[in-house]
Structure formats: structure tokens, C-alpha cells
Amino acid sequence: MPEYIYALSMVLMEMLFLFVTLLALYHQRKVIGENAFLMLLALLFTFDRWIAAADIRVVLWGDVTFRVGEVAIGLPALAAFLLVYIMQGVLAAQRVLLGMITAFFIYIYMGQITRLQCEWDGFSLFPGLYGGALEALLSSGRATVNLLAVSHFCELLSLPVIYKLWSNLGLSRRWSVFLAMPCAILIGLLPQVASGSVAGDGISSVFSGDFYARMCGVGIMAILLNIYIERFEHDVSDSGHGVFDFIFAFFGSYGRLQEAEKNLVEWQNRFYTVFDHSTEIIVTCDENGTLLDANIVAKKLFQLTENRREEDITLGKLLKLSDGSEFILPGDENLPWRGDCIAGGRILQSSIFPVRVQNQRLLVMNARDVTQEREYAREKEQLTEQLNHSQRLESLGILAGGIAHDFNNCIHAILGYVDVAMIFGKDDPETVNKHLEKIGKVAEQAGKLTGQMLGFARRGKYHVVDIVLAELFEQCRMLLAPQKLSDIEFTVTLPDKDLRISADMFQIQQVLINMLLNAVDALNGVENAGLELFAVPANESPVAFAPPPGDMENADISEYLAIIIRDNGCGMPPEVASRIFEPFFTTKPVGSGTGMGLSMAYGIIANHKGWIQLESVPGQGTTFAIFMKRISAV
């Protein structure tokens, strides 16, 4: 009894040692060469034939025995053949099978030659007892070897088909391996069943100790094979094959399949060259966000090492949204998705879109590291703000000098008119009224200068409220001094209450009053002088809608309205119209203006995300259009 156990243990150890050795060699196939491994596997099947011819047996239980070669050598080779098919596809498995067939025919040829030499008197390789024993071994084992060769050929030919069939039925790779190998062994019994029936031995001779021992060994091989694939291999190549592709390739187009594989490998190499060396981050994942592949830039960013497989991580673990919240893979209704993410402290401008490969839905993430770009943008914004502030201060210094001079003149004028009024107040009331009227004009001019100073002092920090244009226009009409309009037909068309804007009330009033006063000045000395103030939707504006380049160049006309200030005054030539918004540019005589009114107006409107356009014809008048975003009435 102990001898039986020792013998079985030795067979088991031999089988495990051989299979583990094959797995180790396969894992190093890129070092030793894939063709070398395939040739080794083919020779192993040939060696199995030699052991089969010797018919070395071990007791399984009682009187039931089994061939050592079929279990200890045949099963590891069979499992290694399935591994080649799963990992490398049809063509590699086909090479193994062709190599086995070639090696078997070499074995038959060499065995026949050796047997003839042993029988040939006078020319024997092994004269005497050894020659007779060798000849007897080759002769008596030939039928058994041939039958086993046909049986194993059926097993190898059917094994990929059965594996793929189970896989297509929805079973996992693990269960497909467990079921494919026993089914292949059952198919391999068909030649033996046919041979046993012809010989009269019946089916009982087929289901013998050899069958039961191989079935037990198959379970062990399937466990080891699954462990190896799941632990050490990642790139499985069998997903794209049909059930009968292996058989069609074997009996049909081997040459064409070789050429197709060569082209496929070439295109794969091109793809991975572009994929891996792209400067952008490219990641593919399944529907659940589990990573399937990543290029070199992505692996470096996400710190994906060889020991950390892509299958172990998901996008949700790698990414966070720009606000620091958890990244949730978007659903179908939100694809393609675009937005900013954070990974490894870097800001990624990302897009995720679905693709379908061989009826499998995948998600592809394409991202670009914009951390430095955003930092540069922030620095540029800060520098721009600093530059604008310094320019405001410089402008304020220049403006303050001019305003101080003008304001001093206004004060002296007011004091002079007051003295005259006091002298002539009792004797000539009419003269006093004229001087008081002049005092009012001078005070108005001083107030205008003070308003400009306030506009600079606020530095664009506005108190934004919803403004009804009808109310704004009414207030502007009231604020405009009546004496300014004594000879001008001033028409204010109050718009519907639906026309609203969101802005700083004081600043917009300053803009409109300033532009209206400029229009009044342009009407000086014009007969039948007319001035209009009204508002219309942007698509009804008399000045063509032309957003300035930059952030607003793609503005939607339906979202804007136009505030129109139109006069029939002296107008402007093109060279003047092109410069009127420049700071300190003015056509008025010295002491009558600083040249800051329209530049300030344009700056205020620009800070409210709008712009000013004009159309002017010399001698016919000027039309200003202030385009601003309209808001819906509450």
C-alpha cells in the first residue's frame, strides 16, 4: 500500500513540476523567444508518444492502472496548449498543433527506420538482446501510439472550439477553462471507442484507469492555469475569435491567417507607438470605470506601476472634480462629458466619450494637463489688474491736475459772480438773475468734474441691481439740465418694462448723461437740432450688431438689447470716430473737456460685459448704440 501512494505522489509531483516549468518558460517567452517555446511544447508531445510506447503504468486503486506518460506529460502539455490559445490567439495555437503533427511524423519515420535496422541481420544498431528489445518495443507500441496520437489530435483540435463555445455562452474564463479540458478529453475518447468497438472490447475498455486519472489531473491543471492567468497575465487575445476559427484556420487559410496576423501586429505596433507617446493623457475603461489600458503619460500621472494593474483601479479612485468633490462616472445621457478634474495635484481638462469595439462598449478618457496654463492665466490676470490699476493711478494723476485747474477756475468764477450779484442786487434784479444763471452753469460743470473723479475712485467695484430701462431713462431726463435743451428737441422713448439690464445704477446714469451732454455739444449751432434716447432689442438696432473680438465675439444677438443715443449734429469724420474712445482724446477747445468722458463710458460698459458702437456721418449726425445683455422680467 505505501508503494502505491509513493508512486502516485511521484506522478503528481512530476506532473506539477513539468507544468510549473512550462508556465515559467512561457512567462519568459519574450526572453527565450516565442517560437522556441512553441517548438519545446511540440517536442514534449512527441516525448509523450515515446513514453506511451513503453506503456509505463502506475496503480490508481485496486487493479485499476493508468499510463504515466498521458498524465504526467500529456496533461501539462494539453494545459499549456490551451494557455497559448487563450493568451496569443488562433495562429500561435495553430503553430503548436502543426509542430506536434510534424514531430509525430518524424517520430513515426525514425521509429520505422530504427525498427527495420533492428531486424536487419548484419546491420543492426543494437545487436543481440538490446536490439531485439528495442524492436519489440517499437513494434508492439506502434498501434497504441498511433491510436493515442489520433486521440490527442482530436483533443487538441476540439479544445479551443469548446473553450470558445463556453465563453460565448456567457461563462467566465475560469469556468470555461474548467469545462473545456474535460470535454476535450471526452471527445478524444471517440477514436478509442471506435477502435474498441471494432476490436470487440466494448466501451468498458475506454473508460479505464487512464480516463479517471486524466480527469483528476485535468482538475489540478485547470486550477493552476486559472491562477497563473489571473496573477501573471493581462493581455488576453482570444476575445475576438469565433467558435470555429481555429478549425477553419487549421484546415484552410494558414498562409492568409499568417499574413493577417502580420498586418494586425504591424498596425497594433503603430497604434501603441502613437498611443504611448502621445503628450496627452489617454485612458480606456469599461462601463464601470475600471481601467483597461493607459498610455505612458497617464501611468506616470496616476503612478501605475507594473505591480499595480489597471484592472485593480477605477476612474473614481483616481480623479476628483475641480471643486474637490468625488468624481462620479457620467451616465449615458451625459456622454460625451467634458470638464475639469484633479489628479495628483494636477488640473486636467478632460473629456470622456463612448466607443464600441467588437460589440463591447468602452469609455475613452482624453485629458490635458492645464495646471501650468491655468497658473499662467491667473498670473496674467493679476498682472493685468495691476497694470490697469497703475494706469488708473497715472490717469488719475493727469486728470486730477486738469480737474484741479478747471475746478479752481469754477470756484473763482462762482466767487466773482457772487460779488457782482451783491453789488448790483438791489438796483438791477435782471442782471442778478443772469449772474445766478451763470453760477448754476459753472456749478454744473464742477459737478461733472466731480463725477469723473468718483468714476475713477470706484475702480469698477459696482453695486449691481436689476434696472428697468424706462425708469433709468426717466431719471436721465430729469437729471439733464433744462437750460441745456432750450434749443433742442429732446425725444425720450420709454421702452417696455420687459427691457431690463443688470448693472450699477449710478455708473450707467453717468454713462448716459455724459453721452447725452456730448450730443448736446455736437448740436451747438445746428438748426432744427434733435436728440433721441430710446432702447430696442439688439436685432432692431439702427447700428449693426458687431461684438468686439475676444470673450464676446460669439455673443448671441437674441440675448442683447441696444440703448440708442442719436443726434443730427455735426457728425465726425472717420479719423475722429476711430479715436473717440481713447483716453484724453478730445476735439473740444482747451478748458472745455478732459477727453476722459467717452473712454470712461466705454470702460464702464465693458465691465458690465457690453460694448459701444457708433455710426457717424459728417454734417448729418451721430448714432451711438450701447449693447448690453438683457434679463428676463420677474
Side-chain angles (χ1 to χ4, degrees), residues 195-464:
S195 175
S197 300
V198 172
D201 297 334
I203 198 171
S204 59
S205 62
V206 176
F207 293 97
S208 59
D210 294 329
F211 171 75
Y212 298 118
R214 294 188 75 200
M215 282 296 182
C216 293
V218 157
I220 298 175
M221 292 294 99
I223 293 173
L224 294 178
L225 181 58
N226 278 317
I227 292 175
Y228 172 78
I229 293 176
E230 293 178 5
R231 293 285 296 178
F232 298 102
E233 297 291 342
H234 311 315
D235 301 327
V236 180
S237 302
D238 66 327
S239 59
H241 306 318
V243 174
F244 297 103
D245 283 0
F246 182 78
I247 294 179
F248 294 153
F250 181 79
F251 289 105
S253 54
Y254 178 73
R256 290 196 298 273
L257 189 61
Q258 271 189 316
E259 186 66 24
E261 186 189 57
K262 180 181 177 181
N263 294 336
L264 178 61
V265 170
E266 181 179 351
W267 279 103
Q268 283 179 337
N269 291 337
R270 292 180 184 178
F271 165 75
Y272 278 106
T273 299
V274 176
F275 179 77
D276 282 334
H277 293 87
S278 173
T279 57
E280 295 194 353
I281 299 164
I282 305 176
V283 170
T284 59
C285 59
D286 61 16
E287 293 179 323
N288 300 320
T290 302
L291 261 65
L292 302 177
D293 204 354
N295 66 349
I296 294 175
V297 179
K299 289 179 179 179
K300 183 178 179 180
L301 175 67
F302 298 138
Q303 298 181 352
L304 300 176
T305 62
E306 293 295 331
N307 296 327
R308 188 183 182 191
R309 298 183 300 170
E310 288 87 344
E311 294 89 339
D312 299 333
I313 53 180
T314 61
L315 286 180
K317 296 179 180 179
L318 296 175
L319 303 175
K320 289 188 178 299
L321 295 178
S322 56
D323 59 0
S325 59
E326 181 183 359
F327 176 82
I328 300 176
L329 196 68
D332 292 344
E333 65 278 2
N334 296 323
L335 290 175
W337 178 87
R338 293 177 177 85
D340 288 349
C341 300
I342 298 177
R346 312 297 292 178
I347 302 174
L348 306 180
Q349 190 178 58
S350 311
S351 62
I352 299 176
F353 52 91
V355 296
R356 187 165 293 277
V357 179
Q358 295 177 349
N359 295 325
Q360 183 181 5
R361 185 174 178 275
L362 304 177
L363 297 177
V364 178
M365 173 183 170
N366 193 308
R368 184 167 62 93
D369 188 347
V370 294
T371 307
Q372 197 169 15
E373 182 180 323
R374 297 291 172 81
E375 185 65 28
Y376 287 157
R378 283 195 295 269
E379 291 179 0
K380 180 181 178 181
E381 185 178 351
Q382 292 174 358
L383 291 174
T384 302
E385 176 60 27
Q386 292 174 7
L387 177 61
N388 291 338
H389 182 50
S390 64
Q391 289 176 342
R392 288 192 192 99
L393 292 177
E394 181 182 359
S395 301
L396 184 59
I398 298 172
L399 180 63
I403 290 177
H405 177 74
D406 291 345
F407 203 79
N408 188 52
N409 291 339
C410 293
I411 292 175
H412 283 294
I414 292 172
L415 293 175
Y417 289 131
V418 169
D419 289 340
V420 172
M422 292 177 65
I423 294 172
F424 297 101
K426 298 178 181 179
D427 301 330
D428 192 356
E430 184 178 351
T431 302
V432 172
N433 289 336
K434 290 181 180 179
H435 287 299
L436 290 176
E437 183 178 345
K438 291 179 181 179
I439 291 173
K441 292 180 179 179
V442 173
E444 180 185 341
Q445 186 175 359
K448 181 178 179 181
L449 294 173
T450 306
Q452 290 180 353
M453 290 292 290
L454 288 173
F456 270 98
R458 299 185 71 165
R459 291 183 54 196
K461 296 180 180 178
Y462 305 138
H463 178 61
V464 178

Side-chain angles (χ1 to χ4, degrees), residues 101-213:
I101 294 174
T102 303
F104 176 72
F105 280 117
I106 293 174
Y107 160 77
I108 293 296
Y109 171 76
M110 296 301 297
Q112 185 67 15
I113 293 296
T114 303
R115 191 175 65 82
L116 290 175
Q117 289 175 339
C118 291
E119 293 177 343
W120 193 353
D121 294 336
F123 190 73
S124 176
L125 288 175
F126 304 99
L129 179 62
Y130 295 107
L134 181 59
E135 190 277 334
L137 174 63
L138 294 174
S139 299
S140 60
R142 184 171 57 182
T144 301
V145 169
N146 292 341
L147 180 60
L148 290 177
V150 173
S151 176
H152 289 334
F153 175 76
C154 294
E155 292 173 1
L156 294 172
L157 195 63
S158 62
L159 183 57
V161 176
I162 298 172
Y163 170 81
K164 196 61 192 176
L165 179 62
W166 288 121
S167 180
N168 287 353
L169 290 176
L171 295 182
S172 64
R173 186 190 311 138
R174 182 182 305 172
W175 282 107
S176 298
V177 169
F178 268 115
L179 295 176
M181 295 181 68
C183 292
I185 290 177
L186 289 174
I187 291 179
L189 293 178
L190 295 178
Q192 299 182 40
V193 170
S195 175
S197 300
V198 172
D201 297 334
I203 198 171
S204 59
S205 62
V206 176
F207 293 97
S208 59
D210 294 329
F211 171 75
Y212 298 118

Side-chain angles (χ1 to χ4, degrees), residues 441 444-445 447-449 452 476 479-485 488 490 509-524 531 565 567 588 592 597-598 624:
K441 292 180 179 179
E444 180 185 341
Q445 186 175 359
K448 181 178 179 181
L449 294 173
Q452 290 180 353
C476 289
L479 290 172
L480 202 60
Q483 61 270 27
K484 285 280 188 181
L485 305 172
I488 299 173
F490 182 37
Q509 281 182 1
Q510 288 293 106
V511 169
L512 294 182
I513 294 296
N514 186 292
M515 296 180 71
L516 287 169
L517 290 175
N518 283 344
V520 169
D521 292 339
L523 291 169
N524 188 22
L531 177 61
I565 299 174
D567 67 73
K588 297 179 181 180
S592 299
L598 285 177
F624 283 91

